[in-house]
């Protein structure tokens, strides 16, 4: 398809969406599929030349990650698992990061205190792992683990459950004592997940294959210093950002996530853009009672001079209108000449409304989640 054809199709879809809003207010999946093709069968991720076989989005991880077809140096291959586990009632959270970026690996444990608006993190690097960290090719089975003098992580996925084990004797607790240890179990219900496979305009052999899983009930405990924090599966959720890919050198992306219960039903949001060419598909979805309701484009409105100022989120088809009140900015800065990273992952509460595919409005009031603005050169 030529660029002019893509433009005409985009204009058509925007006109159709506007027309639907003027009539019934219902968003029909057939219109969305013209602009954002939904993959509905299992297919290989990559062709023999390293390009994506079929770009788009899916409700389950239907692309088979055939790493052997990657057309890039091992230094450029990036694989990661990122978990966030939040307790809105007890006002604390844990994030766990394991990543193999080819030339380096990054591993981190972060504790978030939403009562005090603080975070404490310990992280470490491995040098030139080149894919040897051992990330599984699928996100529903396998083990990834890492250990050095600073910390240890072990993620095991089996039979619909994710067991996350982690610890560090060097972690500095809020009371001044040292140490963090924890085991958390996430249960993955039978539900839709957000899956996307896209590439970059400047290099179609650079790709982004990503799964986001929201609303996994969390149980387990974390011991920090002399204090024990307990997760309750009735109120607390975990979420996963699972990714495999080859990136271009400079990228800035925006991502937001929510896992909660609204009116007694699991409710999730995954919002994001800025990373790869999203012409084939966005990763913007509402998850309600186990089913995905697809959104088109979403805009993050941020005061980049003050990330603790209120944020705003809107969609181009008036199906999402949210305010975000920050609680804590989990920020970091790294600059090693050609490697640079500026990150603001902000945790806070969402307020506003979203509209499902059938036109039903869901109201968010003081719903805990996070949103981030990340700039990376590597």
């Amino acid at each position: 398809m030529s660029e002019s054809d893509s433009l005409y199709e985009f204009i058509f879809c925007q006109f159709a969406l506007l027309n639907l809003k003027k009539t019934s207010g219902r968003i029909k999946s057939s219109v969305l599929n013209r602009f954002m093709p939904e993959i509905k069968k299992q297919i290989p991720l990559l062709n023999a030349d390293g390009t994506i076989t079929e770009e788009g989005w899916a409700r389950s991880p239907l692309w088979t990650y055939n790493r052997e077809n990657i057309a890039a140096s091992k230094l450029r291959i990036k694989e990661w698992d990122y978990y966030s586990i939040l307790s809105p009632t007890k006002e604390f959270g844990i994030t766990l990061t394991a990543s193999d970026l080819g030339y380096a690996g990054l591993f981190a444990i972060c504790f978030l205190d939403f009562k005090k608006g603080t975070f404490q993190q310990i992280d470490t690097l491995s040098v030139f792992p080149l894919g040897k960290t051992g990330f599984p090719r699928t996100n529903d089975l396998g083990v990834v683990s890492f250990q050095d003098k600073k910390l240890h992580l072990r993620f095991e996925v089996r039979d619909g459950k994710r067991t996350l084990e982690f610890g560090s004797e060097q972690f500095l607790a809020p009371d001044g004592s040292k140490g963090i240890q924890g085991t958390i179990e996430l249960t993955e219900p039978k539900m839709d997940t957000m899956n996307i496979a896209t590439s970059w305009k400047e290099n179609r052999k650079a790709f982004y294959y990503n799964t986001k899983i929201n609303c996994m009930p969390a149980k387990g405990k974390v011991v920090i210093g002399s204090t024990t924090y307990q997760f309750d599966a009735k109120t607390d959720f975990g979420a996963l950002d699972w990714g495999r890919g080859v990136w271009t050198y400079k990228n800035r992306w925006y991502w937001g996530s929510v896992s909660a219960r609204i009116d007694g039903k699991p409710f999730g949001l995954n919002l994001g853009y800025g990373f790869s060419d999203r012409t084939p598909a966005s990763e913007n979805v509402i998850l309600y009672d186990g089913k995905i309701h697809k959104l088109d484009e979403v805009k993050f409105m941020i005061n980049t001079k003050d990330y603790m100022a209120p944020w705003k989120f809107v969609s181009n088809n008036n199906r999402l209108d949210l305010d975000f009140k920050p609680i804590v900015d989990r920020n970091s800065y790294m600059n090693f000449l050609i490697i640079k990273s500026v990150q603001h992952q902000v945790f806070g509460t969402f307020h506003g409304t979203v509209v499902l595919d059938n036109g039903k409005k869901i109201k968010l009031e003081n719903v805990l989640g996070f949103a981030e603005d990340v700039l990376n050169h590597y």
Side-chain angles (χ1 to χ4, degrees):
M1 180 181 290
S2 68
E3 290 186 4
S4 59
D5 288 338
S6 297
L7 178 60
Y8 289 140
E9 185 164 347
F10 174 79
I11 293 171
F12 170 82
C13 288
Q14 298 308 303
F15 175 77
L17 287 169
L18 180 62
N19 218 25
L20 283 171
K21 182 191 168 191
K22 289 180 178 178
T23 54
S24 65
R26 182 182 177 87
I27 307 299
K28 295 183 178 179
S29 61
S30 60
V31 174
L32 285 178
N33 286 343
R34 288 180 59 85
F35 181 49
M36 292 185 283
E38 181 181 352
I39 307 303
K40 296 184 177 182
K41 63 180 180 180
Q42 198 78 36
I43 58 175
L45 175 64
L46 300 174
N47 293 306
D49 65 357
T51 58
I52 296 176
T53 56
E54 189 172 353
E55 300 192 26
W57 72 281
R59 300 171 193 269
S60 59
L62 293 177
W63 291 271
T64 301
Y65 177 51
N66 47 348
R67 197 178 195 273
E68 64 277 7
N69 281 9
I70 292 177
S73 162
K74 290 182 179 180
L75 290 168
R76 302 301 304 161
I77 300 173
K78 297 179 175 27
E79 300 175 325
W80 69 95
D81 291 2
Y82 168 81
Y83 286 94
S84 59
I85 309 96
L86 308 182
S87 177
T89 55
K90 298 176 183 177
E91 298 182 89
F92 74 94
I94 289 284
T95 68
L96 305 170
T97 305
S99 64
D100 185 324
L101 307 177
Y103 54 83
L106 173 63
F107 306 88
I109 303 168
C110 180
F111 174 74
L112 299 138
D113 186 329
F114 301 127
K115 289 181 181 179
K116 297 179 180 178
T118 60
F119 76 96
Q120 288 167 283
Q121 177 168 312
I122 188 166
D123 49 50
T124 190
L125 291 170
S126 63
V127 180
F128 295 114
L130 300 174
K132 296 178 182 178
T133 306
F135 282 87
R137 294 195 178 203
T138 66
N139 62 45
D140 59 357
L141 181 66
V143 176
V144 62
S145 62
F146 174 85
Q147 182 170 354
D148 69 1
K149 294 180 180 180
K150 292 184 71 175
L151 60 83
H152 69 267
L153 295 167
R154 187 179 188 275
F155 306 156
E156 180 176 3
V157 186
R158 183 185 299 274
D159 299 327
K161 297 187 183 296
R162 299 172 183 272
T163 303
L164 315 177
E165 299 175 349
F166 55 94
S168 169
E169 295 181 357
Q170 297 183 29
F171 184 90
L172 183 62
D175 62 4
S177 60
K178 284 189 175 183
I180 182 170
Q181 299 288 333
T183 300
I184 301 169
E185 182 181 274
L186 306 180
T187 301
E188 186 177 346
K190 292 184 178 180
M191 61 181 180
D192 291 345
T193 59
M194 193 297 299
N195 303 267
I196 190 172
T198 51
S199 63
W200 274 260
K201 287 183 178 179
E202 60 268 38
N203 179 6
R204 292 300 180 187
K205 294 181 181 181
F207 68 93
Y208 171 63
Y209 180 30
N210 185 233
T211 295
K212 303 279 183 24
I213 305 177
N214 294 71
C215 299
M216 293 184 285
K219 67 179 182 179
K221 67 178 181 180
V222 182
V223 180
I224 302 177
S226 57
T227 305
T228 298
Y229 298 85
Q230 194 83 33
F231 286 104
D232 184 345
K234 294 180 181 179
T235 57
D236 304 337
F237 286 113
L240 168 65
D241 172 11
W242 181 96
R244 308 292 185 260
V246 172
W247 304 353
T248 53
Y249 172 65
K250 179 182 178 182
N251 290 281
R252 184 174 188 172
W253 68 77
Y254 305 88
W255 176 39
S257 181
V258 167
S259 293
R261 287 191 188 276
I262 295 181
D263 299 328
K265 298 183 183 297
F267 172 88
L269 284 175
N270 186 80
L271 310 174
Y273 64 97
F275 193 59
S276 74
D277 176 11
R278 297 299 172 89
T279 303
S282 79
E283 66 175 84
N284 301 314
V285 300
I286 304 165
L287 181 71
Y288 185 69
D289 198 18
K291 300 297 181 183
I292 275 182
H293 301 257
K294 191 74 180 70
L295 297 174
D296 189 5
E297 299 302 322
V298 170
K299 180 70 174 178
F300 291 30
M301 288 178 273
I302 313 166
N303 178 355
T304 55
K305 294 182 179 180
D306 180 8
Y307 283 89
M308 292 299 290
W311 297 30
K312 181 77 174 178
F313 302 81
V314 295
S315 68
N316 64 341
N317 48 26
N318 297 310
R319 293 183 59 192
L320 181 142
D321 188 348
L322 297 173
D323 295 305
F324 178 67
K325 183 179 179 181
I327 297 173
V328 56
D329 177 8
R330 180 190 173 220
N331 61 84
S332 64
Y333 177 79
M334 177 178 68
N335 189 356
F336 298 122
L337 298 178
I338 63 171
I339 300 174
K340 181 180 179 181
S341 179
V342 183
Q343 304 190 24
H344 292 271
Q345 185 179 50
V346 181
F347 293 79
T349 53
F350 287 85
H351 312 257
T353 58
V354 299
V355 181
L356 305 183
D357 287 344
N358 62 5
K360 180 180 179 179
K361 287 187 177 181
I362 304 295
K363 188 173 183 180
L364 282 69
E365 294 181 345
N366 203 40
V367 175
L368 184 65
F370 65 83
E372 68 181 31
D373 176 4
V374 175
L375 172 64
N376 280 330
H377 297 67
Y378 54 56

